[in-house]
Amino acid sequence: MLRRLLLTAAVSATAALSWVPGAAAGTFFDAPGATPVVPVAPVPGASASGPDGGSAGRPSLFSAGTPGGAARAALAAYGLARPALMPPPARPEDSSDRLTVTVTGVGGGADGTFELVCHPAGGTHPHPAEACDRLDRMTTWGKDTFAPVPPDALCTMVYGGPATAHVTGTWAGRPVDARYDRANGCEISRWNALVPVLPAARP
């Protein structure tokens, strides 16, 4: 009895490994030069075409009734379920790195509205290459490059002047709408961290 079971298992495994769909409908062949394998009967009740696009009368590569069908279905499901390495942009129009920087209260010709385009660097910003490089170095996966100061932060009561800035647009595939000022030590540090995207300012 044990010998018969082992023989049956060996024959089933050989048929599963050697089965490859042939060119003609209803015919299956082994590797080139090998002896043809007996066709496998269609799965009762199967549709004319399966997940792999097979024709009528031919078992689907993913059918449970074909050798290795369950394994192929599991592998296909795994391939579809794997997450992408990088998340897609939040919106289709947010696929480029483009920012509008509006600055007031700095003086010395630094006030105004400037366009900053990165990858490649360009726009009307006075220092596009340096600004883009700074943003690249500040950008970290899972972290908001333009995050505001946390509400519970302990900040020194140092006034850095009346300068304000508003940055809008898209960066790293995500919409940006951030405001900056120099009202205390935390806000001054946040502003300075973004120089030269924002102009250097003094009290």
Side-chain angles (χ1 to χ4, degrees):
M1 176 63 70
L2 178 60
R3 183 177 179 181
R4 181 180 298 176
L5 291 175
L6 291 175
L7 181 60
T8 302
V11 171
S12 299
T14 302
L17 292 174
S18 61
W19 181 83
V20 177
T27 306
F28 304 88
F29 295 90
D30 198 357
T35 303
V37 179
V38 178
V40 181
V43 180
S47 60
S49 60
D52 62 335
S55 59
R58 181 186 301 176
S60 169
L61 286 171
F62 299 90
S63 298
T66 60
R72 292 186 188 91
L75 289 174
Y78 171 74
L80 293 174
R82 285 183 301 173
L85 292 179
M86 293 292 288
R91 300 174 298 180
E93 60 268 28
D94 293 338
S95 58
S96 62
D97 297 321
R98 181 184 297 270
L99 299 172
T100 300
V101 182
T102 301
V103 179
T104 61
V106 175
D111 295 350
T113 298
F114 311 95
E115 299 294 329
L116 175 63
V117 181
C118 297
H119 311 122
T124 60
H125 192 281
H127 307 288
E130 294 84 350
C132 291
D133 181 65
R134 180 57 182 161
L135 288 172
D136 285 335
R137 286 186 283 115
M138 291 180 63
T139 302
T140 304
W141 179 260
K143 180 180 178 182
D144 184 1
T145 306
F146 306 90
V149 175
D152 58 349
L154 299 177
C155 306
T156 57
M157 300 305 293
V158 177
Y159 181 65
T164 63
H166 188 199
V167 181
T168 60
T170 302
W171 179 256
R174 293 293 181 266
V176 177
D177 188 349
R179 295 185 180 275
Y180 294 79
D181 59 47
R182 299 173 65 84
N184 55 50
C186 295
E187 295 291 358
I188 292 173
S189 296
R190 179 170 172 255
W191 180 295
N192 292 344
L194 209 60
V195 174
V197 180
L198 301 181
R202 292 190 176 92

